[in-house]
Amino acid sequence: MILTLGALIEIQDSGEKIHTFKNWGCAIGNNNYIGEPETETYYIDIPGADGFLDGSEALTGRPIYKSRPINILLGGKKPRDEWDDFISSIRNKIHGRIIKITFDNDTGFYYTGRGYIKDFNRNREIGQFYLSIPKADPYKYSVTDSLDDWLWDPFDFETGIIDEGANISVSGEMKYIISASGGPFVPVFNVKNILSAGLQIEYSGKTRTLTIGRNRFPDIVVYKSDVTIILKGAGTLNIEYRRGSL
């Protein structure tokens, strides 16, 4: 893994954005800062049978991930008498709060969870500490969603997907394809207006009537295969989703 220079932190409740190197003067000092996602397992002991019956995927048909640890070692150089105030100020901003982190070597995605400042240590002018998210969301998420304009800088031209879910105008019948990638997600059909013809979607042989506002159908899951939806009637809607990846 490439050693990153720093990371961008966004604090959820305040919206403040901080770059660990540009704003704090602290670079990332470890390579293994992103831990592996924990898999939810359910093993059943069958009397008289060897081994266990694995029922982990019985309900969803796919692996379920609980969380993953993130531990970022940050360090830098400051005058000796500034370190205590500095650590106190970043604890006030971050400790115990929900944050998003986008790393400099993976700017198309962010990780999220409750952050903590831990294990501060200083030797003369050199100080270091950990920015820790013990139970981060198992997936990293695209910095853009299906309604956003795609961004040139973080876009991966080999694996990236350009989604166009905003302001879809339906008049008659049209096809909308949601490409699969990475983690599973359930799209939301946010209807802005419906004309006299009504508005419906057809998926996997089922037809559903849409109403004004948010419409979500848990069985429409985009995971391993592309999902094709037929829109029928007349109206305008957004198809909203955000892609994730392990």
Side-chain angles (χ1 to χ4, degrees), residues 14-26:
S14 68
E16 183 178 0
K17 295 182 180 181
I18 304 163
H19 192 274
T20 58
F21 188 78
K22 295 175 183 176
N23 299 117
W24 288 349
C26 294

Side-chain angles (χ1 to χ4, degrees), residues 48-210:
D50 294 325
F52 293 88
L53 177 64
D54 188 349
S56 305
E57 301 179 23
L59 291 178
T60 61
R62 60 177 176 83
I64 297 296
Y65 301 99
K66 305 299 288 183
S67 65
R68 74 192 314 161
I70 295 178
N71 289 290
I72 310 165
L73 177 62
L74 292 164
K77 183 178 180 181
K78 299 180 183 297
R80 296 174 62 179
D81 59 356
E82 291 184 7
W83 271 108
D84 288 342
D85 284 344
F86 169 74
I87 290 296
S88 181
S89 70
I90 65 173
R91 284 195 185 111
N92 288 335
K93 292 178 182 290
I94 290 175
H95 197 78
R97 289 181 163 85
I98 302 294
I99 59 175
K100 295 179 180 179
I101 298 181
T102 303
F103 293 97
D104 286 355
N105 65 345
D106 191 15
T107 55
F109 292 89
Y110 67 83
Y111 297 82
T112 186
R114 196 172 296 277
Y116 300 90
I117 304 300
K118 297 173 54 179
D119 300 333
F120 168 59
N121 187 32
R122 177 182 61 79
N123 183 6
R124 298 181 183 275
E125 296 179 330
I126 306 299
Q128 66 178 35
F129 60 94
Y130 280 91
L131 173 57
S132 174
I133 307 179
K135 291 189 176 295
D137 194 290
Y139 291 96
K140 62 180 182 178
Y141 294 97
S142 173
V143 297
T144 58
D145 63 22
S146 60
L147 306 186
D148 294 327
D149 294 331
W150 67 282
L151 304 177
W152 179 276
D153 289 342
F155 188 76
D156 189 323
F157 285 90
E158 294 183 0
T159 61
I161 298 172
I162 297 175
D163 294 305
E164 296 179 329
N167 299 317
I168 298 171
S169 181
V170 182
S171 179
E173 183 173 310
M174 65 176 293
K175 182 187 297 185
Y176 185 89
I177 299 174
I178 306 177
S179 300
S181 68
F185 58 88
V186 176
V188 171
F189 302 89
N190 198 343
V191 179
K192 296 183 175 182
N193 65 76
I194 300 175
L195 302 182
S196 58
L199 195 58
Q200 297 177 319
I201 62 168
E202 182 181 306
Y203 166 72
S204 191
K206 296 181 181 179
T207 299
R208 299 168 172 88
T209 298
L210 298 177

